[in-house]
Amino acid sequence: MASSGSEPGSGSTDRAGTGTEPAPAAEAAPLDTAEDFEVLEEEEEEEEEEDDLSELPPLEDVARPPAPPREDAQPPERGGGDAPGDPQEWLDVLGSGLLKKKTLVPGRGVDTRPQKGQDVTIRLKATLEDGTVVEEDPALTFTLGDCDVLQALDLCVQLLEMGETALIVSDAKYCYGAQGRSPDVPPNASLTLEVELLAARDAPDLELLSGKEKVQLANRKRERGNYFYQQADYVLAINSYDIALRIIGSNSKVDFSPDEEAELLDVKVKCLNNLAASQLKLDHYKAALKSCNLVLEHQPENIKALFRKGKVLAQQGEYREAIPILKAALKLEPSNKTIHAELSKLVKKHADQRNVETEMYRKMLGNPSASGTPRKCKDKLPWSIPWKWLFGATAIALGGVALSVVIAARN
């Protein structure tokens, strides 16, 4: 089973992305330890997003753009890779030059390579381009393919043979990206990873896990999702939250205590809330709405789910449906400035929308008004008939009567 990670907000550094959370960037607000979900105060320049989140349970995050690919990055030729009898030259793993692998010590054959979903154990040594060692772990264990570690490791370890030692040179894009890892990995830093594959075994059967083990495993995946969310990598965040939810929802042959059931539900709600936040960032409104509704099925008064559901509906222009949902959230926390601001914004947008619709209908009915408001007439009947139509109808009726008299006279 993958090694455990510390709780978000604990301040521990992320050792090669092993599941523990990295220290937040200098400009980021602390994580919300009360509910283990990261929250940064809004700093986006768009006026509509300038919300004060200081008094709101974690709802929104500042988005950071990923580090731009550095196409000119070239792997440094380290001494170990140039040893006599080197079994192979650099392998361009992705074909972009940003992730390369070279075998230093050959393994036991291609058929000994680990498979995705297995728990693997490696020896790891990570260095910066100047040779500074930033990571050493004699036995790092993680689930291959679950994005529990640096992407460089997840992509390359599956190419290692059992017992093989390899050198991996990775662009920052597949390591710590634009944020780096405080205090030892600078932003946009490439890394050289020396890796030896020590063991690979099948992951534990989810059906046989105890309630406590299931909670711990799901929490590790959720925490990894939180890390990706902070990195503004919402696709990988969604992947981690989905894995956590699959763990929680898997069948079990073990009986859980009421406390364990409550813990599993708590983790599930957190994952769904975080999942909705990630989906909202990617404009996946239908999926985000579904995630919010799943939370509200379990906790109808969950403020974050209500707030996000209102945001989703508002993004779709459904102001009439969004406003009462935000009012319900505000009723639960009347002093919340963010909900106040969002609600006020939606009420204004709804009023503007209604004015536009009213003007459109007025033009469609051929009754435009320069003042924008219909003229009042006290003598007007509740139902109004144009005089031209009334005159025409009267003339037709009189003509019909006259024609009837002429016909009767002739007969």
Side-chain angles (χ1 to χ4, degrees):
M1 188 177 297
S3 58
S4 61
S6 61
E7 288 297 312
S10 63
S12 61
T13 55
D14 181 9
R15 312 314 299 173
T18 56
T20 56
E21 296 303 311
E27 63 270 22
L31 302 185
D32 180 55
T33 54
E35 199 159 335
D36 293 340
F37 182 68
E38 69 291 351
V39 182
L40 304 179
E41 298 212 351
E42 279 288 351
E43 297 175 354
E44 298 185 19
E45 295 181 0
E46 298 176 357
E47 292 184 2
E48 290 187 356
E49 299 300 328
E50 291 180 354
D51 298 333
D52 177 14
L53 301 184
S54 58
E55 299 185 12
L56 184 66
L59 295 172
E60 286 299 311
D61 246 303
V62 64
R64 298 179 181 277
R70 292 165 45 188
E71 299 295 342
D72 59 341
Q74 296 295 329
E77 296 291 335
R78 301 298 172 105
D82 295 330
D86 213 12
Q88 73 173 52
E89 293 303 314
W90 288 103
L91 170 66
D92 192 347
V93 177
L94 300 175
S96 62
L98 301 181
L99 183 63
K100 295 192 175 186
K101 167 189 172 290
K102 177 185 280 189
T103 297
L104 302 181
V105 179
R108 303 172 194 166
V110 176
D111 58 345
T112 64
R113 288 179 177 177
Q115 303 295 316
K116 286 186 178 181
Q118 287 188 312
D119 284 346
V120 297
T121 302
I122 62 171
R123 176 183 62 81
L124 173 68
K125 180 180 179 180
T127 58
L128 298 175
E129 289 181 307
D130 63 4
T132 303
V133 178
V134 295
E135 180 73 31
E136 281 191 282
D137 195 325
L140 171 63
T141 299
F142 60 94
T143 303
L144 189 60
D146 276 11
C147 299
D148 291 342
V149 291
L150 297 178
Q151 281 186 274
L153 287 174
D154 227 2
L155 292 169
C156 292
V157 168
Q158 57 189 296
L159 303 176
L160 298 182
E161 300 170 4
M162 191 60 59
E164 177 182 350
T165 299
L167 205 61
I168 299 168
V169 176
S170 174
D171 183 79
K173 181 178 181 179
Y174 304 105
C175 295
Y176 292 102
Q179 293 192 43
R181 185 188 70 185
S182 180
D184 50 357
V185 179
N188 298 311
S190 297
L191 290 182
T192 298
L193 312 171
E194 184 178 314
V195 181
E196 179 185 2
L197 180 58
L198 302 176
R201 59 185 179 277
D202 291 338
D205 188 344
L206 295 178
E207 292 186 346
L208 300 179
L209 292 180
S210 67
K212 184 177 181 180
E213 290 172 329
K214 205 172 238 190
V215 167
Q216 290 175 343
L217 183 58
N219 262 327
R220 282 198 293 274
K221 306 300 181 182
R222 178 183 61 82
E223 289 166 8
R224 191 62 182 165
N226 290 356
Y227 166 75
F228 287 126
Y229 190 96
Q230 288 183 313
Q231 298 289 326
D233 196 334
Y234 305 117
V235 173
L236 289 181
I238 288 173
N239 177 70
S240 294
Y241 296 138
D242 278 337
I243 292 173
L245 289 169
R246 285 201 300 270
I247 292 169
I248 295 170
S250 61
N251 294 327
S252 180
K253 297 178 180 178
V254 180
D255 292 332
F256 299 152
S257 68
D259 287 343
E260 290 172 335
E261 292 281 5
E263 283 187 87
L264 284 169
L265 178 59
D266 182 60
V267 178
K268 180 179 181 180
V269 166
K270 290 176 182 177
C271 287
L272 286 170
N273 257 329
N274 296 8
L275 181 61
S278 302
Q279 292 162 336
L280 187 55
K281 289 290 188 181
L282 295 175
D283 296 337
H284 296 171
Y285 301 130
K286 185 176 180 181
L289 189 60
K290 180 179 179 181
S291 298
C292 292
N293 286 334
L294 287 173
V295 173
L296 296 173
E297 285 180 10
H298 298 292
Q299 297 179 357
E301 296 187 346
N302 187 290
I303 294 178
K304 283 181 286 186
L306 288 170
F307 182 87
R308 288 199 183 100
K309 183 174 181 178
K311 291 273 284 187
V312 171
L313 292 171
Q315 290 290 340
Q316 295 177 302
E318 303 291 344
Y319 303 126
R320 183 177 298 175
E321 290 78 9
I323 288 172
I325 292 173
L326 288 179
K327 284 183 177 179
L330 190 61
K331 186 177 180 181
L332 295 170
E333 195 169 332
S335 61
N336 193 293
K337 294 180 180 179
T338 301
I339 300 178
H340 266 294
E342 186 68 21
L343 184 57
S344 298
K345 183 169 63 178
L346 292 192
V347 169
K348 183 179 183 303
K349 285 185 176 181
H350 188 215
D352 292 342
Q353 184 186 60
R354 292 181 64 184
N355 289 338
V356 169
E357 291 176 351
T358 301
E359 185 64 24
M360 181 182 67
Y361 293 148
R362 187 175 289 123
K363 290 181 179 179
M364 289 173 61
L365 295 174
N367 187 28
S369 172
S371 62
T373 57
R375 291 178 297 176
K376 295 182 180 179
C377 181
K378 294 181 180 180
D379 298 332
K380 212 167 191 180
L381 296 174
W383 44 274
S384 177
I385 302 175
W387 68 270
K388 290 182 179 179
W389 185 92
L390 185 60
F391 178 80
T394 303
I396 292 171
L398 291 174
V401 171
L403 182 60
S404 298
V405 171
V406 171
I407 293 173
R410 287 182 179 180
N411 291 333

